[in-house]
Amino acid sequence: MAETSNSPTGGYVQMDDVGWIPFPPGLCKGNIRWKLLHVSPEAGAWTAIFDCPAGTSFAKHIHMGPGEYFLTKGRMHVRGGSVVGGATAVAPGYGYEACNAQHDHTEFTEDSEFYMTFMGPLNFLDDDGNTVALVGCQQVLDAWNAATGG
Amino acid sequence: MAETSNSPTGGYVQMDDVGWIPFPPGLCKGNIRWKLLHVSPEAGAWTAIFDCPAGTSFAKHIHMGPGEYFLTKGRMHVRGGSVVGGATAVAPGYGYEACNAQHDHTEFTEDSEFYMTFMGPLNFLDDDGNTVALVGCQQVLDAWNAATGG
Amino acid sequence: MAETSNSPTGGYVQMDDVGWIPFPPGLCKGNIRWKLLHVSPEAGAWTAIFDCPAGTSFAKHIHMGPGEYFLTKGRMHVRGGSVVGGATAVAPGYGYEACNAQHDHTEFTEDSEFYMTFMGPLNFLDDDGNTVALVGCQQVLDAWNAATGG
Amino acid sequence: MAETSNSPTGGYVQMDDVGWIPFPPGLCKGNIRWKLLHVSPEAGAWTAIFDCPAGTSFAKHIHMGPGEYFLTKGRMHVRGGSVVGGATAVAPGYGYEACNAQHDHTEFTEDSEFYMTFMGPLNFLDDDGNTVALVGCQQVLDAWNAATGG
């Protein structure tokens, strides 16, 4: 893999030199944008930062491996799945999402931003629990390259 | 998680004291049997040994994380996916299946047995590339417990 | 492991409700402080945020597994090891430190802060290359609990 | 990394075409031999098979990450560390060694063989608990290449 500067396949990214890209519309509601920072193809891990304006949300998904987020701005409401009660993260907040955590709704009621490391894919589901998209390190890299011409 | 002896949630398994269980029929052709040896719920990793009589095969799948096998008996033919040419493992053989490796056919032309460690889920696909079953550590543990009454 | 709120063994940490603790003096120069956010005992992974005033530095170490940092404030100069030339990260900067990366000097010339996820231990070395301290998830948890009375 | 056939940096190893190499004498007692099957440099993981004649043993060590073994022949006695009582594996036996497991003695009272996948390094210790050798994927690959001329 080439050690390209400011590329998710390199070792360092100067984050403010990389533009925000719209996150695929089928996977979220509203204008969520992201920057893909790294892919680790051996382990299937990947790292990104997300910009989530007030009123946006992510579609229903299951974390097929653990993930860790650092909410740097705003509020993130996690609802549903096995734990119905939900939780709210407030910046600055750290959260560990366990392998197989299911998130029926991940909503942002104010402008928010979070950085997240993912091990393995996200399994996006429809209302019947069928897989709509399996989003792992290869898929995010392909989506990123398609959007940025990388 | 309880450290139950001879359980995939414990630390040690006396393998010949555990019976073979049929592998779910939708995921293979013929009488493939397995023993689930371990699940690592934090990472979503799992370990099993498979008994594959001559004429059996696994259905089309993608490894969503890396896997390593130790073929202790027989021959395993791996075909298709990005590398069309395929490969044949002959016991004693070791193989590393990279994250995102796609196996259109995994066939056994003689009685075979292999031990394998998996990181993350297997994504079983139909002919159109749609996900039929996503088989990760939780799914294998549930299947194992359902079959063994564990 | 108990899901204790605001504990590195729980799932969520409200980061501004946790106080900064001095990082062990043998492992750094100057008043570096940290908050341990998470330990994943199964994999030996851990996550922390570091406050590094101008003039501080970390002692010589090798990353025994990969690590990823998000520099949220300031500048971090990484020097030495196999790549003598070094590199400088400027906030907001993301970096992937590969397994076996050796850092002879990690210096902060202005007030800086970074969040980092670690897989496996750091191997702190003396000038002769001997291991002074092997700092993995158990060691950081013990150090954190000793300092916070946790 | 080149996909060299029958090399620990490739994808497949025909195990009976690879010769046994003496395991470094400082790390064991007696004529333990091994074959390095794979290194995963990104994660710092590695895989090997060990041939352990009756009367041999491994030196005191700590697993800095989890490991899984498949004992295919003989008996392996694990003693000491936090669990003083010890355990005995009998072929065919599977064992999961947790991250930070300490093994004061690993002894073979009959001719034995085991296959093992390791995440992260082994920390070999002297009687005072000081690190004698930190054996991770880079060190095993260097040792293997030095011994085989690879």
Side-chain angles (χ1 to χ4, degrees):
Chain A
M1 187 165 48
E3 288 286 325
T4 315
S5 183
N6 268 4
S7 151
T9 57
Y12 180 72
V13 173
Q14 188 57 50
M15 290 161 69
D16 44 357
D17 285 351
V18 175
W20 292 105
I21 296 290
F23 197 64
L27 309 179
C28 63
K29 255 166 91 170
N31 185 25
I32 291 183
R33 300 181 303 163
W34 71 322
K35 299 179 185 185
L36 180 62
L37 300 172
H38 191 74
V39 290
S40 288
E42 186 188 287
W46 50 290
T47 302
I49 189 164
F50 297 90
D51 171 65
C52 308
T56 59
S57 62
F58 285 103
K60 184 176 180 169
H61 62 275
I62 297 177
H63 291 256
M64 300 304 297
E68 298 176 82
Y69 65 79
F70 174 15
L71 182 71
T72 51
K73 192 175 83 175
R75 272 167 194 269
M76 178 163 61
H77 304 273
V78 179
R79 299 252 178 278
S82 48
V83 179
V84 179
T88 296
V90 182
Y94 164 88
Y96 179 86
E97 296 298 335
C99 180
N100 288 315
Q102 179 170 334
H103 294 160
D104 288 352
H105 303 281
T106 307
E107 299 164 338
F108 302 90
T109 51
E110 48 184 89
D111 292 355
S112 302
E113 194 176 277
F114 69 98
Y115 165 95
M116 192 156 183
T117 49
F118 299 87
M119 176 66 74
L122 297 174
N123 181 19
F124 283 91
L125 302 171
D126 65 18
D127 290 340
D128 299 326
N130 296 315
T131 294
V132 172
L134 206 51
V135 179
C137 76
Q138 188 59 54
Q139 290 78 21
V140 294
L141 183 58
D142 290 348
W144 181 257
N145 285 339
T148 62
Chain B
M1 188 164 48
E3 290 285 324
T4 315
S5 184
N6 268 3
S7 152
T9 57
Y12 180 72
V13 173
Q14 189 57 51
M15 289 162 69
D16 45 355
D17 285 352
V18 176
W20 292 105
I21 296 290
F23 196 65
L27 308 180
C28 62
K29 255 165 91 170
N31 185 26
I32 291 183
R33 299 180 305 164
W34 72 319
K35 300 179 184 185
L36 180 61
L37 301 172
H38 192 73
V39 289
S40 288
E42 186 189 286
W46 51 290
T47 301
I49 188 164
F50 298 89
D51 171 66
C52 307
T56 59
S57 62
F58 285 102
K60 184 177 180 168
H61 63 275
I62 296 177
H63 291 257
M64 299 304 297
E68 299 176 82
Y69 66 78
F70 174 15
L71 182 72
T72 52
K73 193 176 81 176
R75 272 165 196 269
M76 177 163 61
H77 304 274
V78 179
R79 298 251 178 280
S82 48
V83 180
V84 179
T88 296
V90 182
Y94 164 87
Y96 180 87
E97 296 299 336
C99 179
N100 288 314
Q102 179 170 335
H103 294 160
D104 288 352
H105 302 281
T106 307
E107 299 164 337
F108 303 90
T109 51
E110 48 185 88
D111 291 355
S112 302
E113 193 176 278
F114 70 98
Y115 166 96
M116 193 157 183
T117 49
F118 299 86
M119 176 66 74
L122 296 174
N123 181 19
F124 282 90
L125 300 171
D126 65 18
D127 291 340
D128 299 325
N130 296 314
T131 295
V132 172
L134 205 52
V135 179
C137 77
Q138 188 60 53
Q139 289 78 20
V140 293
L141 183 58
D142 290 348
W144 182 257
N145 285 340
T148 62
Chain C
M1 186 166 47
E3 289 285 325
T4 315
S5 184
N6 268 5
S7 151
T9 58
Y12 180 72
V13 173
Q14 189 57 51
M15 289 162 68
D16 44 356
D17 284 352
V18 176
W20 292 105
I21 296 290
F23 196 64
L27 308 180
C28 62
K29 255 166 91 171
N31 185 27
I32 291 183
R33 300 181 303 163
W34 71 321
K35 300 180 185 185
L36 181 60
L37 300 172
H38 191 74
V39 290
S40 288
E42 186 189 286
W46 51 290
T47 302
I49 189 164
F50 298 90
D51 171 65
C52 308
T56 59
S57 61
F58 284 103
K60 184 177 180 168
H61 61 275
I62 296 177
H63 291 257
M64 300 304 296
E68 297 176 83
Y69 66 78
F70 174 16
L71 182 72
T72 52
K73 193 177 83 175
R75 274 166 193 268
M76 178 163 61
H77 304 273
V78 179
R79 298 252 177 278
S82 47
V83 180
V84 180
T88 296
V90 182
Y94 164 87
Y96 180 86
E97 296 299 336
C99 179
N100 287 315
Q102 180 169 334
H103 293 161
D104 287 352
H105 302 281
T106 307
E107 299 164 338
F108 302 90
T109 51
E110 47 185 90
D111 291 355
S112 303
E113 193 176 278
F114 70 98
Y115 166 95
M116 192 156 182
T117 49
F118 299 86
M119 177 65 74
L122 296 174
N123 181 19
F124 283 90
L125 301 171
D126 65 17
D127 291 339
D128 299 325
N130 296 314
T131 294
V132 173
L134 206 52
V135 178
C137 76
Q138 188 60 54
Q139 290 78 21
V140 294
L141 183 58
D142 290 348
W144 182 257
N145 285 339
T148 62
Chain D
M1 187 164 50
E3 290 285 325
T4 314
S5 184
N6 268 4
S7 152
T9 57
Y12 180 73
V13 173
Q14 189 57 51
M15 290 162 67
D16 45 354
D17 285 350
V18 176
W20 292 104
I21 297 289
F23 197 64
L27 308 179
C28 63
K29 255 166 90 170
N31 184 26
I32 291 183
R33 300 181 303 164
W34 72 321
K35 300 178 185 186
L36 180 61
L37 301 171
H38 191 74
V39 289
S40 289
E42 186 188 285
W46 51 290
T47 302
I49 189 164
F50 298 90
D51 171 67
C52 308
T56 60
S57 62
F58 285 102
K60 183 178 181 167
H61 62 275
I62 297 177
H63 291 257
M64 299 305 296
E68 298 176 83
Y69 66 78
F70 174 16
L71 182 72
T72 52
K73 193 176 81 175
R75 274 167 192 268
M76 177 162 62
H77 304 273
V78 179
R79 297 250 178 281
S82 48
V83 179
V84 179
T88 296
V90 182
Y94 164 88
Y96 179 86
E97 296 299 336
C99 179
N100 287 315
Q102 179 169 335
H103 294 160
D104 288 352
H105 303 282
T106 307
E107 299 164 338
F108 302 90
T109 51
E110 48 184 89
D111 292 354
S112 302
E113 193 175 277
F114 70 98
Y115 165 96
M116 193 158 183
T117 49
F118 299 87
M119 177 65 74
L122 296 174
N123 180 19
F124 282 90
L125 301 171
D126 66 18
D127 290 340
D128 298 325
N130 297 314
T131 294
V132 173
L134 205 53
V135 179
C137 76
Q138 188 59 54
Q139 290 78 21
V140 293
L141 182 59
D142 290 347
W144 182 257
N145 285 339
T148 62

